[in-house]
Amino acid sequence: MLKPCACEPFAPTHAEIEELALLVLGPDMQAAHTYMQRVKRRGLSLHVLFTELLEPAARHLGRMWDEDRCDFLDVTLGVARLQELLAVFNDTHSIPAMGDMRRVVTLTAPGEQHRFGLAVVEKFMRAAGWHVRSEAGASLETVIKAVHAEWFAVAGISLSCDSRLDVIEDTIKAIRQHSCNPSITIMVGGAAFKDAPHHAKTVGADGAADSAATAVLLAQKLLDQSLTRRAYSVA
């Protein structure tokens, strides 16, 4: 007699990813909420919803911008709405002062010369409602003073060359050690991580973003996780 198998829920298809991207560009945000509810009812975890639907949808919006199929205002609005969907389904959207907690410090690794990509990330973050303090090109001592004096939920670090991973690892350790927010989370990006996201774990970061659009969602995900951990520790 054949035993019934527990099949994995179907992951979102490419067509469904594109459909969500178009919904968050449209005038009816409730349609996007309803769509997410329908997909979630398949039994997908929030992690899968993030990695297989929300993040790819943000990446698709970024490609639409690159291909001049939508303008900067459209794509940043769409990414901001994806961020809100993530907060809703992580159940952090109703936390008082959520907007005030969206604070990120961005920096380049010491000695890093490539800053254009980080500048684009900063524009996307601001458009999505984040308070951004840019320390691009600043010394590690300056960054340490900044995170010690001011509360940030997330630090975002850009690196273009994977031969300097040891430098960014030391930077991350220093930020965690001196931050006035003991729960600060770290995301990394840049060419060093684009095709090798596993390097994020190597350097001690909490995650890697491969584009400006996905950086917004990753920052929200890290903030949500931090808030969830805090809630459990207080309970």
Side-chain angles (χ1 to χ4, degrees):
M1 182 177 177
L2 294 176
K3 295 182 179 180
C5 64
C7 299
E8 291 295 324
F10 292 109
T13 65
H14 182 69
E16 289 171 326
I17 291 167
E18 290 187 348
E19 183 178 355
L20 178 60
L22 292 176
L23 283 173
V24 295
L25 289 176
D28 185 5
M29 188 56 183
Q30 184 56 47
H33 280 265
T34 302
Y35 180 82
M36 283 286 290
Q37 290 280 10
R38 188 170 72 247
V39 173
K40 189 180 178 183
R41 280 198 293 269
R42 296 180 187 176
L44 301 177
S45 68
L46 286 173
H47 172 73
V48 171
L49 281 174
F50 178 81
T51 58
E52 301 292 338
L53 180 60
L54 290 170
E55 193 175 40
R59 201 175 291 119
H60 180 71
L61 290 174
R63 284 195 298 269
M64 290 177 68
W65 179 42
D66 290 339
E67 297 166 0
D68 291 326
R69 293 161 59 192
C70 61
D71 61 26
F72 180 76
L73 290 178
D74 287 333
V75 70
T76 52
L77 174 62
V79 170
R81 286 175 168 176
L82 289 174
Q83 174 184 251
E84 292 304 321
L85 286 174
L86 179 61
V88 166
F89 285 97
N90 276 332
D91 200 28
T92 60
H93 65 294
S94 59
I95 293 177
M98 163 60 82
D100 294 337
M101 293 180 185
R102 289 194 176 116
R103 303 177 62 83
V104 59
V105 57
T106 57
L107 57 141
T108 47
E112 179 69 57
Q113 300 299 318
H114 298 85
R115 302 178 188 175
F116 176 75
L118 185 60
V120 176
V121 170
E122 291 167 354
K123 288 184 177 181
F124 269 76
M125 298 292 290
R126 291 189 177 101
W130 285 77
H131 167 79
V132 179
R133 175 164 173 168
S134 178
E135 293 292 349
S139 66
L140 180 56
E141 290 75 16
T142 299
V143 172
I144 287 174
K145 288 179 181 178
V147 298
H148 182 71
E150 190 174 348
W151 189 95
F152 296 101
V154 182
I157 311 174
S158 177
L159 178 68
S160 61
C161 180
D162 61 8
S163 65
R164 304 182 67 245
L165 291 176
D166 57 331
V167 175
I168 203 170
E169 183 177 2
D170 291 341
T171 300
I172 290 173
K173 288 178 180 177
I175 290 173
R176 292 195 192 279
Q177 180 180 355
H178 295 282
S179 173
C180 67
N181 173 16
S183 301
I184 192 170
T185 54
I186 313 288
M187 65 179 184
V188 291
F193 301 96
K194 189 172 182 64
D195 296 320
H198 60 278
H199 283 332
K201 185 176 181 180
T202 301
V203 299
D206 298 295
D210 63 3
S211 69
T214 57
V216 174
L217 290 192
L218 177 58
Q220 182 65 47
K221 178 185 178 184
L222 296 177
L223 173 57
D224 289 347
Q225 290 175 341
S226 177
L227 292 173
T228 302
R229 285 195 298 268
R230 186 188 307 176
Y232 277 120
S233 64
V234 171

